[in-house]
């Protein structure tokens, strides 16, 4: 495709996207699609003829649009918000258009330095001190994995440069039972072994990690000859946005020289609001922090920030220096390849730069405050409705609810079935998307507010849909 | 930014990119920029006011354009080609515009199924049998790491779900001395320990791994109580595009039940040409293969294909199933989160789909053949020039050269200094970019043909620049 062909095709695509985004609220949040439907709608063999952009867009209209889940829809309250602000979409396009290659500082100097600058802007915007240095990973899963590996190396006397962890003492990782699935995955992939992950049970009403229980677990491991290596503190855990007490966790971890990784994937966006920063009080004592602008804040995926207090902890584990990547400026510059796994990196900072510059910080903050207020409002509405209960605190924008009519009072399994049945019915209706999750072993439904276009009246409509289905769907007990 | 604001700003950006791409050949390949220059040209504090798209583009013109290395420039012959075809840039934009969220099949059915289809198209296009199933990773570094982890788990009796690798037998990985830097990095991060990486020295003129030396190394490890876990075969190693003999490596590895991972990051693109597939003869016996359409083929980064013969080898290590991600179709669909590290995934298949559909396979193949012919032509020209030598075979599109005038015949260190001096001078001139690398402990210069716009006359111009600098730069001996 020549630049002139690109110009024409690009204009066509921009219009298509503008139309898609401006009309998606008129359609369902979720479409009915069965496994294999989409595969079957495409050719099983590679294309043998070229398409015009018009024909390509017709393919998208035929294959993709009718099968998407519209996470950009105002009635999307599933999982967590996954905003893809149009300003950041344009930043991503600029990155692609420039076609830079991030394998060293030399291979694309602005890719590295704009990342240094924008990531530092983000540090300031969430109120972290200048003791932190950061980079952009694809996801918090990856950032957490990198933290696990660095913790493993610190705890094992930097075994990786020698005999590896085979033959050494068992290293142990700690997290609460509310921690994200990426934690056990990272523990496993980093080679700790699942037996060496201590899941600390949260007993209190706030589903927060208990520092005393953590301390006891770490002491027991030391007594058994194992080495505590890393504690993950969740700031906004996935099911209910539960908040682990970071300061107390740091104090305990310090007794055992363990790495503290703060997983604020969801709640990091809230830290753009000074009044919310008490939620990660003590974060300055941690070793690493990750949070995702690609969730609530809305810089399009993949934009996961990862901050460490000492980049040398990354570099000594992850650095490579093959002859073909050496350049005269080595030693004077940051080589972000040494801060993560991939060698080749995209110009991801462009998304942040565009998002902050075109939308503006103030507009983002205003939207986040809107959602926090709406969450409290919705929680109040739920609590005021007979047989409905808000089942967990609402420190952020996610309201966890259950419909608990008297008929299920003595049959928790039947209640579980009913919860899943009405949640599925809501989603099948196309008028909203919500996601159930388990809490204390029982199903509840998460109403995770924060899609960019979601206003109060959308929530009124979703709440009405939810009530309708929960209160009228026949029990399957 | 509203859809209507996006429409206007998007048109402006599309025009800006079209102009940038159509004029970049008029500018230098590399700009003079010193460490910290770019950081210093930006505000140290976050933006407090919003910019119009016109102002944002002026920022790009001020900060980024004058500091880029133009890997899309016809005189870029550095590292490896890193084409960012404009068709794939539009595919990426479509992905952003749609704003889908890839955390499960349910969260965006087309994201998963279009990936299944396009990755299978790519399988067919490179002539792999239908025994393979694939996915898209960000880079081959990540794909190789995943292969290392799965090999570790297979060799250790799936230790990760139990006590981890601490306490077990040492696991050993094998690769040639030409293997990419991502191999030792993956070995280290996966916890094998650097002591357990056997770098097999390549002695022959083709810089290929010697299966006999591999066999001997594996036997010695077994005799010492260690467990051979994985062999990496490079198909197109980084310095010279050296080709390891995959069939013979598979035969040796099978004796020890070791995983074979084929790193065809660079050469995979060549397999789009049936006449080149002899270069990975035996690949069907491997356990995993990775190759990067984001190199020579030109689907914009990050598009790294990763194929395995048995996806269960991935899933049993990488699967997670938290309640908040469960859906009624689980078990009936592919969950790509269980094939890699990240939970959230972009709609990367869109880039491949657009690239194949808008540019067409035939046009891509024609370009690749052009480059192969040009590489042979250039190698002939170099060999026919007094005191110039092609220092390695040219199986693909990279020509490795050295200027060896008589004055340095007895002083290899002086020759090294001269090589680096003239290579640096060529790059500083702005008229070409080339990258030096070490071979047999001595510096040479790689001329890696394959940027999308590079025609014969560009190579003539680069060769003239190279000769000029090498033959006229004063010796620093």
């Amino acid at each position: 495709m020549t630049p002139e062909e690109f110009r024409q095709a690009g204009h066509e695509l921009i219009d298509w996207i503008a139309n898609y985004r401006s009309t998606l609220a008129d359609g369902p949040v979720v479409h009915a699609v069965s496994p294999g439907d989409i595969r079957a709608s495409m050719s099983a063999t590679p294309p043998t003829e070229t398409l015009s952009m018009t024909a390509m867009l017709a393919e998208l209209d035929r294959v993709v649009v009718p099968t998407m889940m519209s996470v950009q829809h105002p009635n999307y309250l599933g999982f967590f918000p996954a905003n893809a602000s149009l300003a950041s979409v344009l930043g991503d396009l600029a990155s692609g258009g420039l076609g830079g290659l991030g394998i060293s500082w030399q291979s694309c100097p602005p890719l590295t330095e704009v990342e240094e600058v924008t990531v530092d802007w983000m540090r300031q915007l969430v109120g972290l001190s200048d003791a932190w240095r950061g980079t952009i990973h694809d996801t918090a899963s990856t950032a957490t994995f990198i933290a696990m590996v660095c913790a493993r190396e610190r705890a094992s006397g930097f075994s990786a440069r020698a005999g590896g962890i085979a033959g050494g003492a068992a290293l142990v990782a700690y997290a609460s039972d509310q921690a994200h699935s990426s934690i056990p995955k990272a523990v496993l992939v980093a080679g700790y072994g699942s037996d060496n992950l201590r899941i600390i049970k949260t007993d209190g009403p706030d589903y927060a990690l208990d520092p005393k229980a953590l301390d006891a677990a770490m002491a027991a491991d030391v007594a058994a000859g194992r080495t505590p290596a890393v504690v993950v503190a969740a700031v906004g855990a996935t099911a209910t946005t539960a908040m682990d007490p970071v300061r107390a966790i740091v104090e305990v971890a310090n007794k055992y020289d363990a790495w503290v990784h703060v997983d604020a994937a969801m709640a990091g966006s809230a830290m753009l609001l000074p009044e919310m920063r008490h939620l990660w009080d003590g974060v300055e004592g941690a070793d690493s922090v990750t949070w995702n602008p690609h969730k609530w804040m809305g810089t399009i995926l993949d934009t996961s920030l990862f901050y460490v207090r000492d980049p040398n902890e990354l570099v000594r584990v992850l650095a490579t220096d093959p002859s073909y990547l050496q350049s005269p400026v080595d030693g004077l510059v940051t080589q972000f390849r040494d801060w993560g796994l991939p060698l080749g990196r995209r110009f991801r900072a462009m998304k942040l730069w565009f998002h902050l510059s075109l939308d503006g910080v103030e507009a983002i903050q205003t939207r986040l405050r809107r959602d926090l207020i709406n969450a409290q409002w919705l929680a109040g509405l739920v609590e005021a409705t007979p047989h409905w209960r808000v089942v967990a605190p609402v420190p952020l924008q996610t309201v966890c609810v259950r419909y608990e009519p008297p008929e299920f009072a003595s049959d928790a399994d039947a209640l579980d079935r009913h919860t899943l049945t009405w949640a599925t019915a809501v989603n099948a209706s196309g008028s909203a998307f919500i996601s159930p999750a388990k809490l204390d072993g029982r199903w509840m439904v998460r109403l995770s507010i924060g899609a960019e276009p979601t206003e109060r009246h959308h929530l009124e409509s979703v709440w009405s849909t939810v009530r309708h289905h929960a209160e009228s769907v026949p029990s399957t007990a």
Side-chain angles (χ1 to χ4, degrees), chain A residues 95-121:
Chain A
S95 162
L98 284 160
L101 170 67
I103 59 177
S104 65
W105 181 92
Q106 182 195 35
S107 74
C108 194
L111 189 149
T112 296
E113 296 205 3
V114 175
E115 183 163 329
E116 288 182 297
V117 171
T118 53
V119 168
D120 197 64
W121 287 350

Side-chain angles (χ1 to χ4, degrees), chain A residues 200-213:
Chain A
I200 311 292
K201 200 163 156 38
T202 58
D203 287 325
D206 53 1
Y207 299 97
L209 193 153
D210 174 5
K212 287 205 190 79

Side-chain angles (χ1 to χ4, degrees), chain A residues 84 98 155-156 178 209 258 260 284 312-313 337 341 344 352 460 469:
Chain A
L98 284 160
S156 65
Q178 298 297 304
L209 193 153
V260 176
E284 290 291 330
N312 190 47
E313 298 275 5
R337 68 169 183 265
L341 260 192
L352 277 172
E460 285 168 346
H469 285 283

Side-chain angles (χ1 to χ4, degrees), chain A residues 70-93:
Chain A
S70 295
V71 297
Q72 311 307 324
H73 194 290
N75 292 1
Y76 166 81
L77 278 78
F79 311 119
F80 274 139
N83 292 312
S85 69
L86 288 166
S88 65
V89 169
L90 292 177
D92 211 22
L93 169 60

Side-chain angles (χ1 to χ4, degrees), chain A residues 33-40:
Chain A
V33 49
S34 299
D37 277 0
I38 300 162
R39 271 204 314 277

